[in-house]
Amino acid sequence: MAKPLMARATAVWLVDNTTLSFKQIADFTEMHELEVQGIADGDVAAGVKGFDPVANNQLTQEELDTAEKNPTHKLKLKFNASAVGEEKRRGPRYTPLSKRQDRPASILWLVKFHPELADSQISKLVGTTKPTIQAIRERTHWNIANIQPIDPVALGLCKQSELDAAVQKAAAKKVREGGPMTDEERRKLLSTEQSLGMDPETKIPSAIEGLETFTLSEPEPVEKHFSADSLFNLPDDADEDDEDEDDKSR
């Protein structure tokens, strides 16, 4: 069921001006029943001015009277032909002001880890424009030196299911176009559920591959054999030098 405009203010008005149950008001405004009770107790929405749904063409008086007479009756919004199709609004999604500063980081993450995504898909996921995406792709963004890639799901800019759907769509398009795909690209294009269900790969980095069978051999000890003659008998040259020194002294 569609939610009325200014749901909390509408709930305030219904609490103050009708005999509807808390559950009826909660179902109509898509709020929690305890929150509606908090409005009645004055603990919630203090200072909020009530919004009349009948005067603002969201609820008919007949519908309101029927609900007051029957506690099990659920209120229904008044049909508005001009509002048909509004939920299918096209273009980038609305991003709250508090999260707009995080969009460049999420764009850089998507461009880096999912280059197969089209600009239109990235724009729809994080609610940005194609010129911004192009500037980050070409690294001409004014703040590119300070941008760090961050997962848009972690930032709350999109849901994991939405990201998986976009990646799967990009993968299907690449397969239709017949583009070659490596094993790493195929693994990257899997959804989160599929990736978590796969067995972890046990690969040895190429830089140390083969070291698991290589062992260092210990140097063989060098044995030296000495004889008594080599230790106590002086060389012949040394004997001749001693004789020359004796002659000189005489």
Side-chain angles (χ1 to χ4, degrees):
M1 184 180 70
K3 186 168 64 173
L5 296 175
M6 300 178 64
R8 180 168 292 188
T10 300
V12 171
W13 189 91
L14 292 173
V15 167
D16 294 338
N17 298 277
T18 68
T19 59
L20 296 174
S21 66
F22 294 155
K23 180 171 176 48
Q24 286 176 302
I25 299 174
D27 291 340
F28 180 65
T29 58
E30 296 186 6
M31 297 171 61
H32 196 279
E33 189 174 347
L34 293 177
E35 190 174 1
V36 178
Q37 184 177 352
I39 293 175
D41 296 337
D43 299 330
V44 179
V48 175
K49 185 179 180 180
F51 186 76
D52 186 351
V54 178
N56 290 280
N57 203 30
Q58 296 189 91
L59 192 66
T60 62
Q61 187 62 47
E62 292 77 9
E63 179 73 10
L64 184 58
D65 294 339
T66 302
E68 285 182 319
K69 294 176 182 178
N70 184 7
T72 61
H73 180 77
K74 291 186 177 181
L75 289 169
K76 296 180 181 179
L77 277 175
K78 182 179 179 181
F79 176 75
N80 187 358
S82 62
V84 175
E86 281 296 315
E87 66 278 3
K88 298 180 180 180
R89 179 179 177 272
R90 303 183 65 179
R93 70 175 62 194
Y94 172 76
T95 305
L97 291 174
S98 59
K99 294 184 179 181
R100 291 184 184 180
Q101 60 184 358
D102 298 329
R103 285 188 297 192
S106 63
I107 295 172
L108 183 59
W109 189 91
L110 292 171
V111 169
K112 181 177 180 180
F113 295 102
H114 291 288
E116 70 280 358
L117 292 176
D119 290 355
S120 58
Q121 291 179 298
I122 298 176
S123 176
K124 187 176 180 180
L125 283 172
V126 300
T128 186
T129 60
K130 291 185 179 181
T132 303
I133 300 172
Q134 192 66 23
I136 292 178
R137 281 188 187 275
E138 298 175 354
R139 303 192 68 81
T140 58
H141 190 273
W142 66 273
N143 196 31
I144 191 65
N146 299 320
I147 299 176
Q148 297 295 329
I150 304 177
D151 189 345
V153 177
L155 293 173
L157 295 174
C158 68
K159 299 179 181 178
Q160 185 64 52
S161 59
E162 294 172 339
L163 177 59
D164 290 343
V167 171
Q168 291 291 336
K169 185 176 180 180
K173 182 179 180 181
K174 191 168 185 178
V175 171
R176 287 196 305 269
E177 294 175 352
M181 296 174 60
T182 63
D183 293 338
E184 182 64 24
E185 289 176 337
R186 292 191 185 95
R187 187 177 181 87
K188 186 188 297 183
L189 295 180
L190 294 176
S191 65
T192 304
E193 291 78 7
Q194 292 172 328
S195 297
L196 292 176
M198 296 180 64
D199 295 333
E201 297 181 357
T202 55
K203 293 183 177 180
I204 300 175
S206 58
I208 61 173
E209 187 174 0
L211 291 181
E212 70 281 1
T213 59
F214 180 76
T215 56
L216 293 174
S217 59
E218 297 181 358
E220 296 181 358
V222 179
E223 296 183 1
K224 295 184 179 181
H225 301 281
F226 298 96
S227 62
D229 295 338
S230 62
L231 293 175
F232 297 103
N233 292 336
L234 294 175
D236 295 337
D237 295 339
D239 294 340
E240 293 178 357
D241 293 339
D242 293 340
E243 291 178 358
D244 293 339
E245 289 181 358
D246 293 338
D247 294 341
K248 290 179 181 179
S249 58
R250 292 174 183 173

